């Protein structure tokens, strides 16, 4: 069985970095959704005009919420990997597959994560002898 402690920490830091960038992007997308909502509401007059009726706003806001949820899950995964806590292999696999199309950092994260979690001994405790 290989010693994967160094890879575990590296992968953890990569998870945190990539998902912090994703959180930043989700914030920018949420801001864009608010701008779309403001523009949609400005074009209509009357008490029944609502920005929530705009399908573009709903799509942008929904996608921003999805990105925030994925980013938070990835940050927690990275912190757990760095700290040596137990992590879910299934969640890591889902996050890795979802990260693959995000070239270049997401692709690196996805391939590295799939490789790491495919190795024997990935879940060995940090303090145990190998």
């Amino acid at each position: 069985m290989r010693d994967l402690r160094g890879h575990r920490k590296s992968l953890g830091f990569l998870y945190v970095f990539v998902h912090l960038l994703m959180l930043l992007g989700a914030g920018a997308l949420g801001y864009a959704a608010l701008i779309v909502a403001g523009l949609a509401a400005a074009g209509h007059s009357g008490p029944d005009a609502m920005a929530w009726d705009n399908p573009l706003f709903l799509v942008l806001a929904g996608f921003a919420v999805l990105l925030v949820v994925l980013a938070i899950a990835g940050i927690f995964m990275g912190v757990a990997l760095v700290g040596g806590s137990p992590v879910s292999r299934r969640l890591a696999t889902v996050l890795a597959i979802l990260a693959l199309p995000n070239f270049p950092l997401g692709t690196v994260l996805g391939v590295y994560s799939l490789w790491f979690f495919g190795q024997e001994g990935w879940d060995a405790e940090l303090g145990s002898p190998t």
Side-chain angles (χ1 to χ4, degrees), residues 69-83:
V69 169
L70 288 175
I72 290 173
I75 290 169
F76 282 137
M77 176 71 67
V79 169
L81 283 169
V82 170

Side-chain angles (χ1 to χ4, degrees), residues 17-33 60 63-68 71:
F17 177 70
V18 168
H19 287 89
L20 281 175
L21 287 177
M22 184 186 289
L23 197 58
L24 183 65
L29 187 62
Y31 184 69
L60 288 176
F63 193 63
V65 168
L66 176 68
L67 285 178
V68 166

Side-chain angles (χ1 to χ4, degrees), residues 29-126:
L29 187 62
Y31 184 69
L34 287 176
I35 290 173
V36 167
L39 292 174
H44 300 289
S45 60
D48 60 342
M50 304 252 334
W52 319 117
D53 294 336
N54 188 347
L56 180 60
F57 169 75
L58 294 176
V59 168
L60 288 176
F63 193 63
V65 168
L66 176 68
L67 285 178
V68 166
V69 169
L70 288 175
I72 290 173
I75 290 169
F76 282 137
M77 176 71 67
V79 169
L81 283 169
V82 170
S85 301
V87 296
S88 169
R89 184 180 194 169
R90 289 184 181 149
L91 177 62
T93 303
V94 168
L95 289 174
I97 290 171
L98 289 175
L100 282 172
N102 300 325
F103 184 79
L105 291 176
T107 304
V108 170
L109 173 68
V111 170
Y112 191 27
S113 184
L114 290 173
W115 172 83
F116 176 78
F117 286 104
Q119 299 295 309
E120 181 181 329
W122 69 270
D123 56 350
E125 294 184 29
L126 291 176

